[in-house]
Amino acid sequence: MPANTAPPSGKKKGRRARLIVIVLVLALVAGVGYGAYWGVSTVRASLPQTTGTVELQGLSGSVEVRRDGYGVPQIYADSDQDLFRAQGFVQAQDRFWEMDVRRHMTSGRLSEMFGKGQVKTDTFLRTLDWHGVAQREYDTKLSAETKKNLQAYADGVNSYLKGRSGKDISVEYAALNLTNSYRPEKWTPVDSVAWLKAMAWDLRGNMQDEIDRSLMTSRLSDKQIDELYPSYPYSRNKPIVSEGGIDPLTGKYDPKAEPSGDATGDGTGTGLGTDGTGTGLGTGDTGTGLGAGGTGTDAGTGTGTTGLTGTGTDTATGGTGTASNIGYSASEATEGLESQLGALSGTLDEIPALLGPSGSGIGSNSWVVSGRYTTTDKPLLANDPHLAPQLPSLWYQMGLHCRSVSASCQYDVAGYTFAGMPGVIIGHNQDVAWGFTNLGADVTDLYLEKVSGDSYLYDGKEKPFKTREETIKVAGGSSKKITVRSTGHGPVVSDRNSELKKVGEKAPVGNVAPDRGDGYAVSLQWTALEPGNSMDAVFEINKAKDFTQFRKAAEHFEVPSQNLIYADTKGNIGYQAPGRIPVRSDGFDGRTPAPGWDPKYKWEGYVPFEKLPYEYNPKRGYIVTANQAVVDAEKYPYTLTEDWGYGARSQRITDLIESKIKDGGKISTDDMQSMQLDNSSQIAKLLMPYLLKIDVSDPAVREAQKLLEGWDYTQDADSGPAAYFNAVWRNVLKLAFGDKLPKELRAQGECLNVRPANGSGPVDDDQRLVRECGQRAPDQAQPDGGDRWYEVVRNIIKDEGNEWWSAPATRKDPAAKTRDQLLGRAMADARWELTAKLGKDVSSWSWGRLHQLQLKNQTLGTSGPGILKEMLNRGPWNLGGGEAAVNATGWNAAGGYEVIWVPSMRMVVNVGDWDKSRWINLTGASGHAYSAHYTDQTDKWSRGELLDWSYTSDAVERATRDTLTLTEEKQQQ
């Protein structure tokens, strides 16, 4: 699964936003001088009451809130409604600022809090209409019981807000109120539901890969692009599911069935939309070409030169392309497509990434081991989702306990929650435990739309847009009205950006495409824009007593699509791949923007839940999910995605498990914890033999090379070899790949003299060189160094003369033409880079000094003068681990060494003996900057330690430090 709840980013604020920050700082500084108001009153006013008694409207009985030494609450009640009402109250006590910012983001209302600098983001979010979809979900899909729970939660939040001014809620409101008249409003059930849409957006799949592949066409051939997106290595990195298949008799997935090996669909599918019909995978049809030419794909592009397309069958080569008579040259068309897709990518970057930057190394780990291989004789289950670091953490630890489980009080569950949403997301109840990782299904597609006035073309007919008006209120400014247009595929996202309006103006299309007129619009089809039942699934999982009930709940977990692992007190382990995953027509793989006017590119339905892979007590005795392929594509008839993570982490975890259980060995809770901290670098194991063979003549570089001799590939924080190797890896990627990519993919500030994109003429024509600078945020740029790039390098490492090993000459370096020449140059560049960053003495180098974690408050702490950051932010911490390591403290090799995603929490569940489970959060329970629980878990987290996780009432009572009693509000006489 899966972080930026913050609105204003440092690069995308107007002058007014900067002035607001300055005003806030001056006010805070002045407040420090006045002491009584800012230094004591404001800070203390917002800290929660954790002892004594508080009256709460709507309670039917008393509720106890027991907090341990880390401020983690365990709630005890006698009814479901009292339980969730108390959950809302307690989460608002600790995290309401975070909750409020998040709901303004999900509803496209950031401008109401932060001014005109957020209008552009709000217009895009209003176009996607997350909050509107959540409202329809609440009105038409969710069960009556779920609605009651949501309403009780909202009532609890509002009970906390009642009678409190902004400064009584959080110090950020006290600062914000100096610049505008914003006041927190009441919480609603839909505010909670909308959070699932934000989760789904960040976990939406391969949209960025689709854009990147298209952008690469300006500088790379189709063959080169394919080399940068290699096939998943099934023979080396095992998929999640290795047993079972779709039973030919029942048509359902059966863990005991033999895989058919037939990759053809069976012609069935669940319905799409409201018509209740749908077809499955069928035979290939001739499709309209779309793309930048070259060897065609199964989307129907034909063979031809850049900008030429044609028709083709569902085979990989298609037909012979012919030039489209559309009035643009091939280079103009390609340049237009690059500009348009670059603009789209930039617009997507403006939406706050709640869960973290995308990348081929990001993801999560979860695994479960059967009791026959554990020292406890019961399953052990581990989970650590990798998300961007946030302050406060995305997660909120909590227990929800009915004093006596019954029909009127059904829950006894503990784990990790989201502030702003009732229930527990990851954790365990009295019978079962579960964990999540992102499945990564391809659930989005971009469509080109032929527009004529107020209509668009589909299947030879003009259809009217569906439209709605939206008004965006702006703090300190005038409101802005927008009109949102939608086609049958989804909202027209190209309306939301002045450059995006040009999307499709010059995009290459086949000669049977309709005249583009003023250009094609671009719409987005995405599974999360249809109402679903994911909120029902949260409560159903919380109550599940066995695998049958767990799978039934998983069926409702439609978006985002997650890998669910399972264990129960009876010793069973299991896995389920849920989600609403589209079935595309044969010949349409969803890898590039599709012609929206052609019904051959529509979604045919969704993969039926009963056909999705799952496992139950597999013979091998364990299940590992770490964003690798779910199932071998040759043994499963449906395409879930073609852009999996490449399995470096998952295979390392598998190898660690296998090494422990061989020869009758057993795995303990300590072993599970140690596995989570494994820092081994898989790419180092591949490259080191070649690096050590390089004949280095420069004494300073040789001194650095010697660090690698005898290194065990472990990336500990104090490791000098890890620091040098990762610097070498970063420079290898830059020289071999990064400098060959278009500017839209390279990091901001990285400038090169290059030939014009799609230019012709002699390679040595220096007069034709142009200066191009990278345009992508450093944490999103390529090559990011994730395990996709491991596979790219693995495929060429033995080919010493491969063209990727070439690099042009510089003023100080001759041109590299072979692998060893490029590796030698990267080693030298890394030596001088680290000399500048860490000093000349290689013995003083350490990975942690390069690889630092900074925790930033996700609103006012992300930018502005240093004093504001010092008040709200914390760090740095020097970390071990690395990109695509099990201990996934991720960094982007194109952007630098800073930690940009982390194991956002870690847990090891001791199934059945629940009080021996362990857990940790990245920060602390509190979102209040001056609370003792703001970052009180971070030091332990950074050292890989876990806290005892009390679950039973006796254990909770022993751990309790503060008890707050909530009672029914007395009626006023």
Side-chain angles (χ1 to χ4, degrees), residues 100 140 158 525 550 555 618 748 861 932:
D100 199 17
T140 66
N158 294 328
Q525 187 163 12
F550 184 80
E555 184 174 0
Q748 293 169 345

Side-chain angles (χ1 to χ4, degrees), residues 1 195-204 355 436-441 443 526-528 534 557-564 578-580:
M1 280 178 46
W195 169 233
L196 288 171
K197 302 303 172 186
M199 279 181 58
W201 176 258
D202 273 15
L203 302 173
R204 64 193 179 274
L355 305 183
F436 284 8
T437 63
N438 191 30
L439 194 150
V443 295
W526 176 33
T527 57
S534 293
F557 207 99
E558 296 162 321
V559 292
S561 184
Q562 298 288 287
N563 295 308
L564 305 184
R580 184 186 291 158

Side-chain angles (χ1 to χ4, degrees), residues 271-579:
L272 180 65
T274 58
D275 61 3
T277 62
T279 58
L281 300 173
T283 58
D285 291 304
T286 300
T288 303
L290 177 69
T295 301
T297 69
D298 56 1
T301 50
T303 302
T305 59
T306 302
L308 305 181
T309 60
T311 59
T313 66
D314 61 333
T315 64
T317 54
T320 302
T322 58
S324 301
N325 185 21
I326 54 178
Y328 298 104
S329 69
S331 62
E332 286 177 325
T334 303
E335 288 170 10
L337 180 60
E338 295 153 21
S339 174
Q340 296 142 21
L341 290 174
L344 174 58
S345 181
T347 300
L348 298 179
D349 284 346
E350 291 178 8
I351 300 177
L354 292 177
L355 305 183
S358 61
S360 59
I362 195 169
S364 303
N365 301 323
S366 67
W367 67 94
V368 60
V369 181
S370 168
R372 77 173 187 262
Y373 291 129
T374 69
T375 58
T376 65
D377 295 325
K378 290 289 181 70
L380 294 174
L381 185 150
N383 197 188
D384 55 290
H386 306 156
L387 309 173
Q390 296 189 62
L391 184 59
S393 168
L394 180 79
W395 301 107
Y396 184 87
Q397 294 154 291
M398 182 174 253
L400 302 173
H401 307 279
C402 291
R403 294 188 179 102
S404 178
V405 176
S406 65
S408 61
C409 199
Q410 306 173 75
Y411 298 87
D412 188 9
V413 60
Y416 294 86
T417 73
F418 290 138
M421 202 171 88
V424 170
I425 304 302
I426 294 174
H428 71 82
N429 60 29
Q430 68 272 40
D431 297 303
V432 309
W434 66 93
F436 284 8
T437 63
N438 191 30
L439 194 150
D442 185 359
V443 295
T444 60
D445 279 317
L446 296 171
Y447 286 89
L448 299 180
E449 306 284 4
K450 168 58 183 172
V451 177
S452 299
D454 295 329
S455 64
Y456 63 96
L457 183 67
Y458 182 75
D459 198 16
K461 300 176 182 178
E462 293 292 328
K463 292 197 168 189
F465 285 107
K466 291 182 179 179
T467 62
R468 69 177 190 277
E469 301 293 323
E470 296 277 353
T471 300
I472 298 172
K473 297 179 181 179
V474 182
S478 301
S479 298
K480 176 182 175 62
K481 291 187 176 181
I482 63 171
T483 299
V484 177
R485 303 187 296 174
S486 296
T487 72
H489 296 114
V492 178
V493 292
S494 53
D495 288 346
R496 299 281 71 88
N497 183 286
S498 59
E499 293 183 9
L500 270 173
K501 288 182 68 175
K502 300 177 182 179
V503 171
E505 279 188 6
K506 300 181 180 181
V509 293
N511 57 0
V512 297
D515 178 73
R516 72 181 70 227
D518 293 331
Y520 300 133
V522 176
S523 64
L524 169 67
Q525 187 163 12
W526 176 33
T527 57
L529 296 183
E530 295 181 32
N533 295 89
S534 293
M535 196 69 234
D536 287 338
V538 172
F539 296 113
E540 291 167 352
I541 290 175
N542 283 194
K543 296 183 296 182
K545 294 183 178 299
D546 55 37
F547 193 57
T548 299
Q549 292 182 11
F550 184 80
R551 289 195 67 224
K552 183 62 177 177
E555 184 174 0
H556 290 149
F557 207 99
E558 296 162 321
V559 292
S561 184
Q562 298 288 287
N563 295 308
L564 305 184
I565 62 165
Y566 167 94
D568 64 36
T569 55
K570 295 181 181 179
N572 301 302
I573 65 173
Y575 163 82
Q576 177 67 59

